[in-house]
Amino acid sequence: QVQVVESGGGLVQPGGSLRLSCTGSGSVFYVMAWYRQAPGRQRELVAQVWFGGNRQYADSVKGRFSISEDTIKNTAYLQMNSLKPEDTATYYCNGRDTDGRSYWGQGTQVTVSS
């Protein structure tokens, strides 16, 4: 069974930090991306990384978020700093494996509030 699992969400005050983890299993992943979706809004791409290669970010998180990867562990991390209330959303991981298929995680909630 191929799956990806997110973890690391929680409640944090504005200006705080969180680190999300996304781990794939059952296959070999080479691209992982983080998306987020707030109530009443469309799911949007936050950041993505090609394992061992390039990474890119949405303009809204540049300079605050950093995505990294561990190829051996099939894991991608999203370090989120200087969090704002506007970052509040459910964060989803999407991983693409070497068979050309993509898989969604169940989501992890990030709430930024004082």
Side-chain angles (χ1 to χ4, degrees):
Q1 182 77 8
V2 181
Q3 63 177 8
V4 296
V5 179
E6 307 99 329
S7 64
L11 174 64
V12 64
Q13 294 187 355
S17 297
L18 285 172
R19 190 181 75 157
L20 307 183
S21 297
C22 172
T23 298
S25 61
S27 190
V28 178
F29 293 81
Y30 71 98
V31 183
M32 284 187 172
W34 285 99
Y35 292 76
R36 66 186 181 187
Q37 187 168 24
R41 303 184 68 179
Q42 292 186 332
R43 189 171 298 187
E44 64 175 342
L45 178 65
V46 176
Q48 61 188 140
V49 59
W50 287 259
F51 279 35
N54 292 333
R55 62 207 74 232
Q56 57 186 211
Y57 303 90
D59 288 342
S60 60
V61 306
K62 286 181 178 177
R64 300 188 298 121
F65 291 11
S66 179
I67 189 169
S68 59
E69 78 282 4
D70 186 323
T71 302
I72 300 300
K73 295 181 179 179
N74 277 329
T75 297
Y77 305 94
L78 185 67
Q79 179 66 46
M80 306 186 295
N81 299 322
S82 302
L83 283 162
K84 304 174 181 179
E86 305 91 89
D87 296 317
T88 296
T90 302
Y91 283 70
Y92 297 90
C93 180
N94 179 273
R96 179 176 292 275
D97 66 13
T98 53
D99 291 329
R101 295 186 172 92
S102 294
Y103 301 88
W104 287 99
Q106 80 289 348
T108 185
Q109 179 67 35
V110 173
T111 301
V112 184
S113 176
S114 59

